[in-house]
């Protein structure tokens, strides 16, 4: 168990690490809130997910093959699950159960309320998945996940293995009986999120050069997708995981390359860069949490950072 680790208070408010690049960003942040480091000790922190009913945060420490837990009340951190199957992305379903992407088992799993683990997907058309990366759950209960090969290229975030399927985006039906290929043309699909009205699906194209954030239109049937179009060209940046706020803005983990790129970048639904949060480490993924879903938790290499903001996450899950 580790005691909480907090960043020293800034010299003055507002925090200079919270940087508005568009006047619209000023409405999304709080002048009397600062970035805090609430936990550290991970090797590569990923997949944060908030459990409001227990007031705690879970996240994956991928190379260390464990899921960590930070308690909002005690401010303490401990290992929640080891081994985790080199877990990466996490979310919750509509029943509050943990949904996890596992590199080692090359599968998507659900942790039942009694702790049992149910395998939701590990094959497609008789071939093994690569290494499921990130995952979201729609309001109809369907589970959407990305499946790049990042976890099978070596022995750091999984185990080296043969790639049997192209990198792709998949959908698990609400009853869990069907795994459907939704798109296999996005290069290195990584983080994904639906707009609040679920009419658009945003995906990070992490192996394009330059990397892109692409968006699909979702048909009225809630399943069919349009061809993807580029929403934002990341240039030298490395977008990774992201989540939406209630106004449809994208809060994206960012970094790698130079210190100026490390942190979070925030975009309008139209792909306009509104602002950024500078962190001392690259941010891989994030989620909204806290009592009012107005606390942003940022999984950043070795540490978890948080910032209270003036908006809310698009979903309570």
């Amino acid at each position: 168990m580790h005691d909480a680790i907090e960043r020293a208070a800034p010299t003055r408010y507002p925090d200079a690490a919270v940087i508005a690049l568009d006047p619209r960003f000023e409405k999304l942040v709080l002048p009397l809130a600062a970035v805090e480091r609430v936990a550290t000790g991970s090797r590569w922190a990923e997949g944060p997910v908030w459990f409001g009913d227990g007031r705690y945060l879970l996240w994956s420490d991928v190379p260390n093959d464990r899921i960590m837990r930070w308690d909002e009340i005690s401010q303490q951190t401990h290992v929640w699950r080891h081994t985790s199957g080199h877990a990466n992305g996490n979310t919750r379903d509509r029943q509050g159960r943990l949904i996890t992407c596992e590199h080692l088992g090359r599968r998507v799993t659900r942790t039942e309320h009694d702790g049992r683990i149910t395998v939701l997907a590990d094959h497609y058309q008789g071939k093994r998945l690569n290494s499921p990366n990130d995952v979201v759950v729609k309001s109809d209960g369907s589970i959407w996940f990305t499946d790049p090969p990042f976890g099978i290229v070596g022995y750091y975030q999984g185990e080296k293995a043969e790639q049997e399927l192209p990198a792709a985006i998949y959908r698990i039906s609400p009853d869990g009986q069907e795994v459907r290929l939704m798109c296999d043309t996005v290069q290195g699909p990584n983080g994904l999120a639906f707009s609040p009205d679920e009419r658009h699906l945003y995906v990070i194209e992490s192996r394009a050069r330059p990397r892109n954030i692409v968006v699909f239109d979702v048909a009225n049937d809630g399943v069919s997708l349009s061809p993807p179009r580029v929403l934002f060209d990341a240039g030298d940046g490395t977008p990774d995981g992201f989540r939406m706020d209630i106004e449809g803005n994208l809060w994206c983990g960012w970094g790698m390359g130079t210190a100026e790129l490390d942190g979070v970048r925030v975009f309008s639904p139209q792909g306009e860069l509104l602002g950024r949060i500078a962190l001392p480490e690259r941010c891989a993924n994030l989620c909204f949490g806290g009592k009012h879903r107005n606390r942003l938790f940022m999984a950043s290499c070795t540490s978890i950072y948080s910032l209270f903001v003036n908006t809310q996450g698009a979903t309570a899950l």
Side-chain angles (χ1 to χ4, degrees):
M1 185 175 292
H2 308 285
D3 293 332
I5 295 180
E6 299 184 357
R7 198 188 76 159
T11 303
R12 59 191 352 222
Y13 287 121
D15 190 344
V18 182
I19 303 163
L21 302 173
D22 184 292
R24 288 171 289 178
F25 187 65
E26 296 172 2
K27 299 178 181 179
L28 301 175
V29 294
L30 297 166
L32 300 182
V35 175
E36 306 166 71
R37 186 171 69 170
V38 300
T40 193
S42 295
R43 184 160 280 137
W44 178 246
E46 255 282 13
V49 56
W50 177 253
F51 280 72
D53 42 354
R55 297 186 65 176
Y56 62 88
L57 182 80
L58 297 182
W59 72 92
S60 299
D61 182 3
V62 186
N64 284 327
D65 192 20
R66 60 187 184 175
I67 294 176
M68 305 298 294
R69 182 185 190 274
W70 174 80
D71 185 273
E72 187 180 36
I73 304 302
S74 69
Q75 301 282 295
Q76 293 184 328
T77 301
H78 68 266
V79 177
W80 184 77
R81 174 180 292 168
H82 183 271
T83 64
S84 68
H86 288 280
N88 192 328
N90 298 285
T91 192
R92 298 180 77 185
D93 69 9
R94 296 292 152 167
Q95 290 73 46
R97 298 169 294 190
L98 178 68
I99 308 296
T100 300
C101 293
E102 298 181 15
H103 285 181
L104 188 61
R106 301 166 70 167
R107 63 188 192 175
V108 179
T109 64
R110 181 178 66 220
T111 301
E112 309 295 347
H113 292 302
D114 63 5
R116 291 180 297 112
I117 294 177
T118 299
V119 178
L120 301 176
D122 57 2
H123 286 78
Y124 178 71
Q125 294 187 341
K127 297 181 180 180
R128 297 189 70 188
L129 298 175
N130 298 312
S131 54
N133 184 279
D134 207 355
V135 58
V136 293
V137 178
K138 277 187 87 229
S139 61
D140 64 0
S142 61
I143 298 168
W144 299 60
F145 67 95
T146 55
D147 186 42
F150 307 156
I152 58 173
V153 297
Y155 297 100
Y156 188 61
Q157 298 190 64
E159 289 188 357
K160 191 173 183 178
E162 177 184 355
Q163 182 175 345
E164 300 178 28
L165 291 165
I169 303 163
Y170 293 94
R171 174 187 185 269
I172 304 171
S173 60
D175 62 8
Q177 299 303 304
E178 179 192 25
V179 178
R180 179 186 296 193
L181 173 67
M182 302 307 300
C183 178
D184 62 1
T185 61
V186 174
Q187 300 178 58
N190 198 324
L192 75 169
F194 283 96
S195 60
D197 61 9
E198 299 186 339
R199 295 178 60 184
H200 306 287
L201 173 65
Y202 299 88
V203 181
I204 301 297
E205 188 173 35
S206 64
R207 288 301 179 264
R209 293 294 182 271
R211 298 172 178 88
N212 297 313
I213 301 174
V214 301
V215 58
F216 299 82
D217 297 326
V218 183
N220 290 335
D221 63 7
V223 177
S224 305
L225 300 177
S226 71
R229 63 183 184 276
V230 175
L231 181 77
F232 187 83
D233 175 337
D236 294 333
T238 304
D240 200 331
F242 61 103
R243 289 293 180 259
M244 315 287 291
D245 67 25
I246 56 176
E247 298 175 9
N249 299 305
L250 290 74
W251 298 67
C252 304
W254 211 268
M256 199 162 75
T258 65
E260 290 74 20
L261 293 173
D262 290 342
V264 171
R265 300 215 170 187
V266 182
F267 300 87
S268 74
Q270 294 74 40
E272 303 156 306
L273 181 59
L274 303 180
R276 67 185 183 93
I277 303 166
L279 297 175
E281 306 176 74
R282 171 186 172 182
C283 180
N285 213 330
L286 48 82
C287 73
F288 289 92
K291 181 179 180 180
H292 300 290
R293 304 196 318 276
N294 67 331
R295 190 173 190 179
L296 186 68
F297 290 97
M298 300 162 279
S300 307
C301 297
T302 68
S303 304
I304 302 294
Y305 297 87
S306 80
L307 175 68
F308 284 95
V309 296
N310 196 34
T311 186
Q312 296 174 293
T315 174
L317 297 178

